[in-house]
Amino acid sequence: MGIRTKEYRDLAIEQIDFILGDGSRSYVTGFGVNPPVYPHHRSSSCPDLPTECGWSDFRSSDPNKQTLIGALVGGPDRTGYYEDSRDDFERNEVAIDYNAGLQSAIAGLIHLELMGERQGLQ
């Protein structure tokens, strides 16, 4: 197979579980327990069309008006600190590099499940 395959698979599963909310909160918008509602994402801060959107909407203290379903935010720092704040782009930005990795990892877990190498994928 590979070097320490089971250990790496188990670590990947633990990380996905943490991201999706096993650690008391989800880091994926619109999903799981206590998901982020202030992602650093300008267009999700905008009101419904045809109302115009401006920086005042982005800087509002209200939760984002549009829910991005399934977008991973930056997450906690090395000490575990996380604040759901639109102003904190390091921990709350929605970025393609975070989300590409998340989708790839989930696709890998689904593949293992379909191949019968991972039982009970939840």
Side-chain angles (χ1 to χ4, degrees):
M1 272 269 221
I3 299 172
R4 297 169 38 184
T5 303
K6 180 176 176 354
E7 294 170 53
Y8 289 134
R9 285 182 180 171
D10 289 347
L11 176 62
I13 292 164
E14 286 176 23
Q15 293 298 300
I16 295 298
D17 287 346
F18 176 78
I19 289 168
L20 296 179
D22 277 2
S24 76
R25 82 160 308 132
S26 170
Y27 295 100
V28 177
T29 59
F31 182 87
V33 176
N34 194 20
V37 294
Y38 297 96
H40 185 86
H41 186 269
R42 184 176 178 203
S43 63
S44 69
S45 307
C46 293
D48 291 335
L49 292 173
T51 305
E52 291 202 21
C53 182
W55 284 108
S56 63
D57 296 298
F58 184 76
R59 293 185 181 107
S60 168
S61 61
D62 294 333
N64 285 17
K65 293 170 181 70
Q66 311 301 325
T67 301
L68 297 171
I69 307 253
L72 176 65
V73 297
D77 65 15
R78 292 178 187 220
T79 67
Y81 174 75
Y82 175 78
E83 182 180 352
D84 188 10
S85 170
R86 193 176 299 116
D87 292 333
D88 188 349
F89 67 89
E90 291 178 353
R91 291 179 192 84
N92 236 28
E93 184 172 39
V94 173
I96 195 166
D97 52 346
Y98 311 150
N99 286 278
L102 173 65
Q103 298 308 314
S104 297
I106 290 173
L109 293 178
I110 291 170
H111 171 76
L112 292 175
E113 181 75 14
L114 293 173
M115 300 303 291
E117 297 179 35
R118 163 86 174 106
Q119 298 302 314
L121 185 66
Q122 298 178 1

